Amino acid sequence: MSGAESGAMKRKADSAATVINKFLQNLVIKCGKNEGVRDYFHVGVFGYGQNVGPAFAGTIAGRDLVPISEIANFPARVEERSKRVDDGAGGLAEQKVKFPVWFDAVANGGTPMCQVLGKAKDVVAAWTAKNQTCFPPIVINVTDGESTDGDPSAAADAIKALSTTDGGVLLFNVHLSATGASPIEFPDSESSLPDDFARLLFRMSSSLTEPMQAFARQKGYTVSASSKGFVFNANLEALIDFIDIGTRPSNLR
Amino acid sequence: MILRGRILALPKRGNSADEFEDAYAPREVGEAIALPFSCAVADGATESSFSNVWARLLAAEFVDCEGNLEAMEAEMPRLRALWREHVSSKPLPWYAEQKLEQGAFSTVLGVSIEQADEGNSARWHAFAVGDSCLFHAKADGQVVSFPAERSEELRAWPYLVPSRQLDEEPLHSIGRSRRGILEPGDRLILVTDAVAGWILKSLEEGGSPLELLNHATQTMPAFLAWVEGLRDAGGIKNDDCTLLWLECCEEPR
């Protein structure tokens, strides 16, 4: 999900869109197997601003939850972007990479977080009712601004109250601030957070599960049993590492 | 001394035989194997593409090199090129191309056995990277396991042999070796991590897993029924299962 503050700079909305597109790209690659993609996940992306609803563009537009193999095969477009890579001689070289886009930045309207969390709850409740033995869904709220339709705590609690036989639904939050403040990943207390809104998102976030904490430590993060699924001014790539679909080599980078 | 062997292999429940990512070499073992003899099992990582191809290459190479690690090391650039050639043989969608950049990963566990200088005993030398395990069940009931000695050592993110040139590290630096002496009546059992986990756990609980396994592996239907029963009961991880069983017998006069 993504919220874009009314009147916000397009850059902020762009960064939210890039975070989400990059997340989807990495999730597809994680599920990639030989020539295809295994349907380990069904994924929904909901935008919230002037409108609240499914945010995929292109062939899969308008759908709530889409199998990851369809997401892989139907990006709205595939852009070519440049990235800097190690040239093997101590320097950096520009490399062209394919960057699939499923979701475009929209910077208008408010940030109706209560409304979108309510929508997420409905979608997740329908899914968990049909898939009671699966790993519980993870809801990731990506926002660059404060809620404009009230305190979202109750809506967050309603999502976290859902469950499968494997545990409770997880709610993670990603706060992208325009202040350029230093990234904070998986904090275990509110004390390091810069403002009341970040502290609210921290409190709304589920704790990392024990296997996720173990993965996080293995990846070099400092986490404790109280660490939350909350990142501030950081991307979501670490979260993908935490999702376990089978043997993952420790030397895979 | 001669060896009597059998090999049993089963894909993860829900997967087809095409999706099987374990490998073993040689492809067949007989009732009267003469020494010297080498064999290997390998387990391609779920989270990498074409890891089954890489696992097959590694297991076969160990046997072709008769367990000589230096010889295998010298062949690694050729193996990596073979893997690359295999996976680049047809055009791939964007996600499969990007996944290939990560390379493939696999365990390898190989054993070479040769006649000892005197008497009716033999020497074995094992080499392992990752969590595929060797069990040496001695005629007196003692069991030696290698490289894992406890079930908790079988982690979800083992260090594995990578197919990428970039990650190249000498095999001896990422693996472990062990030697032992075989006497008539001893058994050597090579298994991938699912069966290894069950054996280790059962040993820790004071059970006699290798006796049970001996009965359960006399025929493929018996092995299938046994594994499926354990999967139903949650007693074994739902993963590919491979077992290479060798019995040491006195040579007929």
Side-chain angles (χ1 to χ4, degrees):
Chain A
M1 279 169 287
S2 168
E5 204 172 322
S6 177
M9 298 285 288
K10 185 170 180 299
R11 192 180 55 76
K12 281 172 68 181
D14 278 344
S15 68
T18 297
V19 161
I20 292 161
N21 285 317
K22 188 81 190 157
F23 178 81
L24 291 172
Q25 180 185 14
N26 286 335
L27 196 61
V28 166
I29 292 170
K30 185 181 182 86
C31 299
K33 194 68 197 177
N34 304 348
E35 296 93 344
V37 170
R38 291 188 181 169
D39 277 328
Y40 291 114
F41 304 103
H42 289 193
V43 183
V45 177
F46 299 86
Y48 59 111
Q50 196 164 35
N51 301 305
V52 174
F56 286 123
T59 310
I60 54 176
R63 290 173 61 184
D64 277 351
L65 287 178
V66 182
I68 193 79
S69 59
E70 285 189 63
I71 290 174
N73 287 310
F74 299 109
R77 61 186 182 278
V78 179
E79 295 178 358
E80 201 164 77
R81 296 192 181 182
S82 298
K83 85 169 176 184
R84 289 186 164 184
V85 293
D86 187 342
D87 65 1
L92 292 171
E94 289 268 317
Q95 187 186 53
K96 296 277 182 209
V97 290
K98 287 177 181 166
F99 188 83
V101 173
W102 291 269
F103 170 81
D104 283 306
V106 182
N108 61 10
T111 307
M113 200 175 293
C114 297
Q115 202 185 330
V116 77
L117 292 177
K119 169 70 182 168
K121 193 208 89 178
D122 292 345
V123 171
V124 168
W127 192 91
T128 51
K130 283 191 207 149
N131 300 280
Q132 260 298 298
T133 58
C134 284
F135 185 85
I138 302 175
V139 176
I140 303 169
N141 176 35
V142 181
T143 183
D144 52 19
E146 293 189 30
S147 172
T148 52
D149 64 351
D151 182 345
S153 302
D157 289 343
I159 288 175
K160 290 184 284 183
L162 297 168
S163 63
T164 68
T165 55
D166 202 20
V169 171
L170 300 168
L171 173 65
F172 293 165
N173 286 284
V174 177
H175 182 195
L176 301 172
S177 142
T179 61
S182 301
I184 299 171
E185 291 165 292
F186 317 114
D188 61 2
S189 84
E190 297 179 23
S191 59
S192 58
L193 301 175
D195 55 42
D196 285 347
F197 180 57
R199 284 187 280 274
L200 172 66
L201 289 177
F202 171 87
R203 287 194 294 274
M204 281 163 53
S205 302
S206 303
S207 298
L208 295 179
T209 64
E210 279 182 28
M212 287 174 176
Q213 292 166 30
F215 272 101
R217 282 191 198 99
Q218 197 247 334
K219 287 299 223 179
Y221 292 97
T222 304
V223 295
S224 72
S226 314
S227 287
K228 297 266 200 171
F230 173 65
V231 299
F232 176 77
N233 274 358
N235 64 37
L236 293 169
E237 284 175 42
L239 282 178
I240 289 180
D241 287 338
F242 299 171
I243 302 170
D244 181 14
I245 59 171
T247 302
R248 179 184 170 83
S250 62
N251 41 337
L252 173 64
R253 288 182 282 271
Chain B
M1 178 184 290
I2 58 165
L3 304 170
R4 186 183 299 145
R6 56 182 185 270
I7 299 172
L8 296 113
L10 267 184
K12 176 177 178 169
R13 180 186 279 175
N15 281 5
S16 66
D18 294 349
E19 294 170 297
F20 186 65
E21 293 179 319
D22 284 359
Y24 50 87
R27 297 298 298 165
E28 289 177 352
V29 289
E31 288 282 307
I33 305 164
L35 300 185
F37 173 72
S38 296
C39 58
V41 298
D43 179 357
T46 319
E47 258 207 45
S48 61
S49 272
F50 301 102
S51 52
N52 52 346
V53 177
W54 183 233
R56 283 200 296 271
L57 286 168
L58 289 172
E61 193 62 32
F62 184 90
V63 170
D64 288 350
C65 294
E66 297 175 338
N68 181 327
L69 218 53
E70 279 180 22
M72 186 162 171
E73 192 72 67
E75 294 297 329
M76 288 304 284
R78 184 182 59 83
L79 285 196
R80 291 188 160 104
L82 274 176
W83 180 82
R84 174 56 62 181
E85 191 182 319
H86 178 96
V87 303
S88 312
S89 58
K90 52 184 167 184
L92 294 170
W94 69 267
Y95 44 82
E97 269 180 20
Q98 293 187 6
K99 182 95 177 185
L100 274 191
E101 289 170 17
Q102 298 175 348
F105 294 82
S106 177
T107 71
V108 67
L109 163 70
V111 183
S112 51
I113 305 162
E114 59 182 14
Q115 197 74 46
D117 299 334
E118 288 173 17
N120 205 8
S121 57
R123 289 188 293 263
W124 61 263
H125 174 215
F127 173 75
V129 180
D131 56 9
S132 297
C133 290
L134 171 73
F135 294 90
H136 176 187
K138 297 183 183 176
D140 66 5
Q142 267 190 78
V143 179
V144 171
S145 66
F146 167 80
E149 292 178 351
R150 306 280 306 170
S151 57
E152 64 263 22
E153 292 173 45
L154 301 178
R155 306 176 306 151
W157 52 92
Y159 201 96
L160 303 179
V161 186
S163 69
R164 292 201 317 178
Q165 206 79 34
L166 193 64
D167 302 320
E168 194 165 356
E169 290 172 280
L171 284 173
H172 66 83
S173 74
I174 58 171
R176 290 167 62 187
S177 292
R178 182 146 181 178
R179 291 174 188 278
I181 299 288
L182 284 173
E183 302 290 349
D186 286 4
R187 293 157 175 168
L188 276 185
I189 303 130
L190 288 76
V191 291
T192 49
D193 65 315
V195 178
W198 174 80
I199 295 173
L200 287 168
K201 215 161 182 46
S202 176
L203 286 171
E204 288 157 14
E205 290 164 357
S208 305
L210 299 175
E211 292 312 312
L212 272 174
L213 205 55
N214 188 19
H215 291 294
T217 57
Q218 292 297 323
T219 64
M220 191 59 204
F223 185 56
L224 175 64
W226 177 76
V227 171
E228 286 293 302
L230 274 180
R231 284 174 178 167
D232 284 340
I236 194 168
K237 185 167 77 162
N238 183 23
D239 196 356
D240 294 337
C241 292
T242 297
L243 173 145
L244 202 159
W245 184 288
L246 298 170
E247 307 227 6
C248 308
C249 312
E250 288 200 41
E251 205 159 348
R253 292 177 191 275

